[in-house]
Amino acid sequence: MKEMIYQTICPGCGVGCGLFIRENDEGKLSIDHMKSSPVNLGKLCRFGMKLPHYYAKANNAVNMTDGSAVDAETAIKAAVEILKDADTDSVALLSVGNTSNEEQMAFTKLAETLGTVVQTGIQKMCMPEPGTLAEIEKAKKIVLFVDPYVQYPLIVRRLLAAKKNGAHIISVGTNPLNLADETLDLKPEQYGELELDSESLIIADVHPNSDAGILKSVKSLAKGTGAGIQFMKPFMNSNGAALLANKDGNMMGLAELMEDIELGNIRTLVTLDSDPVELMPDAEAAIEALKNLDKLIVIGSVNGPAAEMADVVIATDPVYSKAGTFLNVEDSLQENSGTGKAGVDALSLLNAGIGGKTFTHDEMNYLVMKTIGSRETGTAQCKGSEIELSLVEIPEDMYELRYLYNPFMWSDREDDNDFVLLNRNTVKKLGLKKGGCVNLKGEMGELKMRFRVEAIPDGLVLTAKKLPIAKGVSTAISMEVC
């Protein structure tokens, strides 16, 4: 049986774990561990182990126009006509970093021809230079603003090594972690109680639904104490997307982008391997917002909800078979062994069709390497507005359902951990039985879920699964026994 072997990285998050993907002549995929990968040394989290299932669900994009399958040339021509007819002031491009640097650079070239910018969906924050994951093991005190077990599992081994080296680990939040020496539920104005210094390290993350106010407080904490920061990111090429997006125009977060679509300020949206329905906490609200568009063009390898709504779909290669490079959270350059160039080729034709120049994959790779090599050091200047995504007010007689973002949720893929987290007081109060389920009720309807008991505060319900009854990062709900 003929078999193709691809050296690639996991698309689950920005850590960039190396692995091999085997594809037989029937298209069936399997995983081989890559012991030589300096990032993960052959280790993979649950999401990485499920990549054959992920790709089987994801790699099904088909070139489409108005809901009918067409060839690539027809789809590209249809997209050209849409962009030529559109008011350029009302066109937006979105790419959060789920594809290669070369496709990202090609998308930027398209944005330049249109006279706009590529939105990355992450609010414009002044980020310090990326640190290295190895620094985790050297820190004397580590403050976690993430749950590494759920969100970024491959840093757990580094945290355990840090503990072995004598580090004191503090988890800031409501969910106690086994590896943390203490858990502190602190408000931003209380962060000074952490007593950090230059030998301390803060681990937080930045994503499209991050609260800008909390991120500002975390950065101020680091600046005031001399502590280091390692910002984790949820997409395989978040750093590449941020670096290669043209930043001279109005950069905005995903919530701002969707608000502009709702208000009618954006009439045409072009996405590159970035589905707003999957990325927004309220999928139904995102669908309703996208209905306000005149035209939606989706470019990528995934036939997700946005692709099903699109006027034009331009299909590209699966991520593992693309030719190109990626930048992980450490800003380490990683390279795929694939040869697929369909994405860059399509963007070249699209760019030429609207009055720009054609380009090749090699030319995009050259520009990527040039941009990476000429990066400025130091902290970038902030531009653009910021929306604070604060948690909602919860009535006293209700519970707060809060998202715990993780790779399965960002890509809206099935996960075996199909349950919510409750504390013992809540379980007793509701009369829930072991092995039973709890009925969650909100404005969006109701849903029966299994539950697991954790030592979290009263009134809180945590979910690592995207639920149709959730209106946002934080949702008021009531509960009863099934």
Side-chain angles (χ1 to χ4, degrees):
M1 181 178 292
K2 187 179 179 181
E3 189 175 55
M4 291 291 295
I5 301 177
Y6 299 94
Q7 179 177 316
T8 184
I9 67 170
C10 176
C13 72
V15 172
C17 295
L19 66 147
F20 295 103
I21 294 280
R22 293 178 177 267
E23 182 178 25
N24 65 22
D25 53 8
E26 297 176 350
K28 185 177 180 180
L29 303 180
S30 59
I31 299 270
D32 271 356
H33 297 271
M34 188 190 299
K35 298 292 185 182
S36 61
S37 172
V39 175
N40 56 309
L41 303 176
K43 305 292 192 300
L44 291 173
C45 72
R46 289 190 309 111
F47 187 86
M49 293 301 296
K50 289 179 177 288
L51 279 182
H53 175 76
Y54 166 82
Y55 278 123
K57 294 287 186 181
N59 295 332
N60 51 9
V62 177
N63 294 298
M64 307 277 286
T65 60
D66 298 322
S68 299
V70 296
D71 57 32
E73 182 180 0
T74 301
I76 293 168
K77 285 182 177 178
V80 166
E81 292 306 312
I82 288 173
L83 293 178
K84 286 170 67 176
D85 292 341
D87 176 2
T88 55
D89 290 337
S90 66
V91 177
L93 279 65
L94 173 67
S95 179
V96 298
N98 278 323
T99 191
S100 68
N101 285 318
E102 287 68 24
E103 284 189 12
Q104 191 72 40
M105 179 61 83
F107 205 45
T108 296
K109 289 298 178 185
L110 179 65
E112 290 173 354
T113 301
L114 288 167
T116 185
V117 298
V118 174
Q119 303 293 343
T120 64
I122 294 179
Q123 297 179 61
K124 180 62 180 172
M125 308 297 293
C126 303
M127 291 300 171
E129 288 297 295
T132 62
L133 298 178
E135 293 299 313
I136 295 173
E137 301 176 29
K138 303 175 184 177
K140 299 300 182 184
K141 180 183 282 189
I142 299 172
V143 179
L144 297 173
F145 286 87
V146 299
D147 183 337
Y149 292 111
V150 176
Q151 296 171 284
Y152 304 98
L154 263 294
I155 68 170
V156 170
R157 65 184 180 88
R158 295 191 183 275
L159 291 167
L160 292 174
K163 279 182 69 78
K164 188 175 180 180
N165 292 334
H168 182 81
I169 299 180
I170 302 172
S171 173
V172 176
T174 56
N175 193 17
L177 304 178
N178 290 335
L179 56 71
D181 296 291
E182 55 182 321
T183 300
L184 302 175
D185 189 8
L186 302 176
K187 294 180 174 60
E189 59 267 24
Q190 298 173 303
Y191 290 169
E193 298 175 15
L194 294 167
E195 298 181 347
L196 306 184
D197 57 29
S198 60
E199 294 185 310
S200 303
L201 178 66
I202 298 167
I203 302 179
D205 72 340
V206 185
H207 55 72
N209 300 316
S210 291
D211 188 299
I214 291 177
L215 288 177
K216 287 179 181 177
S217 298
V218 169
K219 289 186 294 180
S220 294
L221 175 66
K223 183 177 181 180
T225 61
I229 298 183
Q230 175 64 64
F231 276 111
M232 308 301 296
K233 296 179 182 178
F235 309 118
M236 65 188 306
N237 200 24
S238 294
N239 276 14
L243 176 66
L244 302 174
N246 34 11
K247 301 180 179 65
D248 293 335
N250 178 32
M251 301 297 291
M252 62 183 79
L254 185 59
E256 293 173 274
L257 182 69
M258 298 303 288
E259 183 179 32
D260 265 7
I261 292 173
E262 287 183 283
L263 294 173
N265 298 327
I266 294 173
R267 306 304 309 174
T268 301
L269 177 65
V270 187
T271 67
L272 179 63
D273 275 305
S274 306
D275 191 323
V277 179
E278 293 182 344
L279 295 171
M280 290 295 290
D282 186 342
E284 291 302 317
I287 290 172
E288 290 304 310
L290 293 179
K291 289 179 181 178
N292 292 328
L293 291 167
D294 291 334
K295 298 294 180 180
L296 173 60
I297 300 171
V298 170
I299 306 170
S301 63
V302 179
N303 184 24
E308 294 174 3
M309 300 176 64
D311 297 279
V312 176
V313 176
I314 300 174
T316 65
D317 308 287
V319 170
Y320 62 84
S321 66
K322 291 181 189 291
T325 59
F326 308 87
L327 280 176
N328 76 348
V329 292
E330 300 178 283
D331 254 10
S332 294
L333 188 68
Q334 299 168 294
E335 187 169 2
N336 255 11
S337 67
T339 57
K341 301 175 182 178
V344 171
D345 291 344
L347 286 163
S348 173
L349 292 173
L350 194 54
N351 192 55
I354 62 171
K357 295 181 179 179
T358 59
F359 43 73
T360 66
H361 190 278
D362 286 345
E363 288 171 336
M364 294 301 97
N365 177 259
Y366 171 80
L367 291 177
V368 167
M369 296 301 126
K370 182 178 179 181
T371 304
I372 290 174
S374 62
R375 280 175 293 186
E376 295 182 3
T377 58
T379 302
Q381 295 297 313
C382 286
K383 294 181 181 179
S385 60
E386 297 169 354
I387 291 180
E388 295 195 14
L389 303 171
S390 301
L391 303 180
V392 300
E393 291 292 330
I394 307 297
E396 291 185 5
D397 60 341
M398 300 186 78
Y399 296 87
E400 179 191 347
L401 176 66
R402 189 183 300 176
Y403 275 167
L404 186 58
Y405 281 103
N406 64 91
F408 290 96
M409 186 178 289
W410 285 121
S411 56
D412 199 20
R413 302 299 168 202
E414 294 179 8
D415 184 11
D416 295 336
N417 287 348
D418 192 9
F419 51 77
V420 294
L421 302 182
L422 311 173
N423 72 8
R424 293 190 183 279
N425 291 339
T426 300
V427 170
K428 290 179 180 179
K429 181 179 178 181
L430 297 176
L432 301 177
K433 303 297 182 182
K434 185 176 180 180
C437 70
V438 59
N439 193 34
L440 314 177
K441 294 183 176 182
E443 291 183 24
M444 307 291 289
E446 55 184 273
L447 181 68
K448 292 179 172 59
M449 292 286 291
R450 295 185 298 131
F451 65 90
R452 194 177 79 186
V453 178
E454 290 284 354
I456 60 177
D458 289 338
L460 185 63
V461 183
L462 295 180
T463 176
K465 180 179 176 65
K466 198 168 186 179
L467 303 180
I469 66 166
K471 294 185 65 177
V473 177
S474 181
T475 305
I477 62 168
S478 61
M479 295 190 295
E480 63 184 17
V481 65
C482 292

